[in-house]
Amino acid sequence: MRVSAGERTMNYIVLVLFALFALAPILTILATAFSPQIGEPAGLHPGNFVEAWQVGGFGRSLGNSLIVAAIVVTAAVTLSVLSGYAFGTMRFPGSTVLFYVFLLGLMIPTEATVIPLFFDLRSLGLTDTYAAIALPQIAQSVAFGTFWLRAQFRTMPVSLLEAAALDGAGPMRSLRSIVVPSSVPALTTLLVLVFMWTWNEFLIALVMAPGGNLRTAPLGLSNFQGQYTAELALLSAGAVIVALPMVIMFLFLQRHFIRGMLEGAVK
C-alpha cells in the first residue's frame, strides 16, 4: 500500500511526539543527577554519583538484588520451561484444571498474600534470608512463565516432535534439542520480564527481610530518600544507579525481547 508524503510526515511527527513524551522523565532525572547540589556552583557534577554510591551504600543493596534476581530468574525460567512444555505438548488427566490453578497465581495480588506468607516463612525460620525474598517471586513468575511458554510451545508443529520420537528421542531430549532452541526469543522475553519484575519488587523484600541486612536496590533507594529528601541531585543520581543494571540488560537483549513480544502478539 502506497503512503503519501503528507501521511508519512504526519506519522513521523506523531512518533517523535510520543518518543519525547516517553523520554522526557528519563532526561529530566539524568539532567537533575548531574546538576549542582544546594550551594554548589553551576555546571555538570558527576561527583553526585560517587557521593550517592558511598552515602547510600548501593554496593551492598545492588549485590543483594543481583543475588535475588539470579535465584529467581534461574529457578522461574527453568520451572516455567518444564511446566510450559508439559501443558503445551502433552495430554494427561487433569491438565486443564491444573493449568487454571497455575493461572490463579496471575490473579491474586501480592498484597493479599504477603502477610500470610511472612508468618509461614517465619515458622520455617526463613525470614531475613534470600530464600524468603526469592521463593514468593519464583511462585509468581512461574505462573506467568507457564502461561507464556505454553502458548509458545503449542504453536510448534506436532509432526516435528513426532519425528523426534520416531528417531528415539525421549521427552527431555526433545525439549533440550528441539523445543528450547526454537523458542529462544520467547525465553529471552520471559527472562527480561522476570528480571525486571524481580529487580523492581519492593513489598516482598520489605516484609520478608525486616532485619534490613538483605536490603535490595529499591529498598536502598527508599532508605536513601529518607536521608536526602531535599537534595534532588543526589536522589536522582541514586535512582540512576539503581536503574542502570536493568537498562543495560534490556539494551543488551532488546533485539530478542522485541522479537519475542511481536511473536507473542500474533499468537
Side-chain angles (χ1 to χ4, degrees):
M1 183 176 67
R2 296 188 61 182
V3 180
S4 65
E7 186 177 354
R8 188 182 299 111
T9 304
M10 185 58 66
N11 289 338
Y12 281 123
I13 292 174
V14 172
L15 290 174
V16 168
L17 289 177
F18 274 101
L20 291 175
F21 180 76
L23 291 175
I26 300 173
L27 296 177
T28 302
I29 292 177
L30 280 176
T32 308
F34 283 100
S35 65
Q37 299 180 40
I38 298 174
E40 290 186 342
L44 292 178
H45 291 264
N48 290 339
F49 292 91
V50 178
E51 185 175 349
W53 177 273
Q54 293 174 343
V55 177
F58 286 111
R60 189 173 66 175
S61 58
L62 288 176
N64 290 333
S65 281
L66 285 175
I67 293 173
V68 173
I71 296 172
V72 173
V73 170
T74 302
V77 173
T78 302
L79 293 174
S80 297
V81 168
L82 295 175
S83 57
Y85 180 58
F87 286 116
T89 64
M90 302 176 185
R91 298 292 177 267
F92 50 89
S95 60
T96 303
V97 175
L98 192 57
F99 177 66
Y100 287 128
V101 172
F102 268 83
L103 291 186
L104 284 177
L106 294 174
M107 304 173 189
I108 301 176
T110 304
E111 291 80 3
T113 60
V114 67
I115 299 302
L117 275 174
F118 171 77
F119 288 109
D120 289 341
L121 292 174
R122 191 179 66 172
S123 65
L124 296 173
L126 291 178
T127 51
D128 276 324
T129 64
Y130 289 118
I133 304 173
L135 287 176
Q137 297 183 73
I138 292 172
Q140 291 177 330
S141 300
V142 166
F144 174 80
T146 301
F147 172 75
W148 177 260
L149 293 181
R150 174 181 177 266
Q152 165 66 26
F153 294 158
R154 291 191 75 172
T155 61
M156 298 192 64
V158 178
S159 58
L160 188 62
L161 298 177
E162 291 176 346
L166 289 176
D167 287 340
M172 293 306 297
R173 176 70 183 278
S174 298
L175 174 66
R176 190 172 59 251
S177 303
I178 298 175
V179 176
V180 170
S182 61
S183 304
V184 170
L187 290 171
T188 304
T189 302
L190 178 63
L191 186 149
V192 173
L193 289 175
V194 173
F195 181 84
M196 291 172 62
W197 293 337
T198 305
W199 192 266
N200 290 327
E201 178 57 47
F202 181 86
L203 182 60
I204 291 177
L206 176 65
V207 174
M208 299 303 174
N213 295 325
L214 299 180
R215 186 180 294 124
T216 55
L219 289 176
L221 183 61
S222 176
N223 183 61
F224 185 63
Q225 182 183 12
Q227 300 178 43
Y228 290 95
T229 51
E231 194 53 78
L232 293 179
L234 288 180
L235 281 176
S236 299
V240 172
I241 291 172
V242 169
L244 194 58
M246 192 168 52
V247 173
I248 292 173
M249 182 177 184
F250 179 78
L251 293 177
F252 184 68
L253 298 174
Q254 63 169 330
R255 185 163 60 91
H256 295 293
F257 177 79
I258 294 173
R259 183 181 168 193
M261 292 295 289
L262 292 176
E263 289 182 354
V266 298
K267 289 173 183 172

